Amino acid sequence: MDFDVLIPARRASTRLPDKPLADIGGAPMVVRVAQRALASGARSCTVATDDAAIADACRAAGIAAVLTRADHPSGSDRLAEAVDLLGLADDAVVVNVQGDEPLIDPALIRAVAAVLQTRPDCAMGTAAHPIETAAELFNPNVVKVVLDRHGSALTFSRAPIPWWRDAPRHDGALDLHAWPPGARPLRHIGLYAYRAGFLRRFPQLPPAPLERCESLEQLRVLWHGERIAVTVSATAPGPGVDTPEDLQRVRALWAQQNG
């Protein structure tokens, strides 16, 4: 199974300055992400960045990097330019791995690539896992996804979906494990696979009203009639890094996992 990984990385971050270059066990975070990506069996892994310091740090560690424009409005636009810079064929499968996920499971990256490769009717692939608590279900920062019988995304939302009208409660709390088979709420994991041709086309698609409402870019794909295949994992992925507190937690976890 051939697929390529692209990692978009920007140096600017309001909550954690120089985030891609933050040290994780003696290497920049973006390098640790790339190492995980290469462990997935990807044919190649390239960091797409607008910052020369990030590109230099990657190349010093043996990680490929390309410099993109600095005016891209989203990571998808940056990846579309990177696909052209790398000359990838339209039918190539490209996995977008975020540069702040140094604990991502390589098997999950491979699974997202595989679900797209087995679904020629879909333009994209992504991942989800079962929601375990009512707090997650009602948290608008936890994006939910609902699937059809083929495992394709019907919709994504920050709202608690699907909602079981007659959901049982235990001591006043929702029992998510009792929900009907196939209707268990799923948390969307922000890991995407694209066919390179669609990735080239995606930035030109007009934003969708639902996308603007929910602030979820993947709704643009569904709005324009494309399909997204979803692989469901049993457990949640490792934590990402958004804040200094996240960084300390991930450093500790990385040290535990790597001695």
Side-chain angles (χ1 to χ4, degrees):
M1 180 177 67
D2 287 335
F3 64 97
D4 302 278
V5 171
L6 289 176
I7 302 172
R10 294 175 64 248
R11 197 166 181 179
S13 173
T14 55
R15 288 184 287 184
L16 186 59
D18 296 338
K19 181 166 69 168
L21 300 177
D23 182 87
I24 304 284
M29 178 161 55
V30 69
V31 169
R32 292 301 186 200
V33 175
Q35 290 168 343
R36 291 273 183 158
L38 288 168
S40 71
R43 176 173 58 184
S44 71
C45 174
T46 305
V47 173
T49 182
D50 59 3
D51 188 272
I54 294 175
D56 290 343
C58 291
R59 292 166 182 154
I63 303 299
V66 292
L67 279 171
T68 61
R69 301 198 320 269
D71 59 349
H72 288 303
S74 72
S76 299
D77 295 86
R78 190 176 314 283
L79 294 187
E81 182 187 358
V83 161
D84 285 338
L85 291 172
L86 295 171
L88 296 180
D90 279 349
D91 61 353
V93 171
V94 178
V95 181
N96 173 6
V97 178
Q98 296 303 309
D100 56 5
E101 300 280 351
L103 300 180
I104 192 167
D105 185 354
L108 184 60
I109 298 173
R110 187 172 183 85
V112 169
V115 76
L116 180 58
Q117 289 184 326
T118 59
R119 294 289 304 276
D121 58 316
C122 294
M124 286 176 56
T126 191
H129 69 86
I131 289 176
E132 297 292 337
T133 68
E136 281 186 295
L137 181 62
F138 288 100
N139 184 349
N141 294 317
V142 173
V143 177
K144 277 67 71 172
V145 58
V146 176
L147 309 183
D148 67 13
R149 67 188 181 96
H150 301 293
S152 303
L154 285 171
T155 193
F156 299 83
S157 182
R158 298 181 183 278
I161 58 169
W163 182 250
W164 186 9
R165 186 192 62 180
D166 300 318
R169 295 177 180 269
H170 180 71
D171 293 333
L174 287 174
D175 183 0
L176 294 176
H177 296 273
W179 286 43
R184 174 81 177 271
L186 298 174
R187 178 175 188 161
H188 177 233
I189 300 170
L191 179 66
Y192 297 101
Y194 309 80
R195 301 188 197 286
F198 177 72
L199 187 53
R200 288 184 170 100
R201 184 165 58 90
F202 177 71
Q204 278 70 55
L205 294 176
L210 288 178
E211 172 190 358
R212 291 193 177 102
C213 180
E214 296 258 17
S215 293
L216 297 175
E217 194 177 59
Q218 62 269 35
L219 288 171
R220 188 187 315 180
V221 180
L222 301 181
W223 179 265
H224 287 282
E226 300 287 355
R227 306 184 76 183
I228 302 176
V230 183
T231 182
V232 179
S233 67
T235 58
V241 177
D242 287 318
T243 66
E245 293 76 20
D246 293 339
L247 179 59
Q248 293 306 315
R249 181 167 61 253
V250 166
R251 281 171 171 165
L253 289 170
W254 192 94
Q256 290 175 13
Q257 294 176 9
N258 296 275

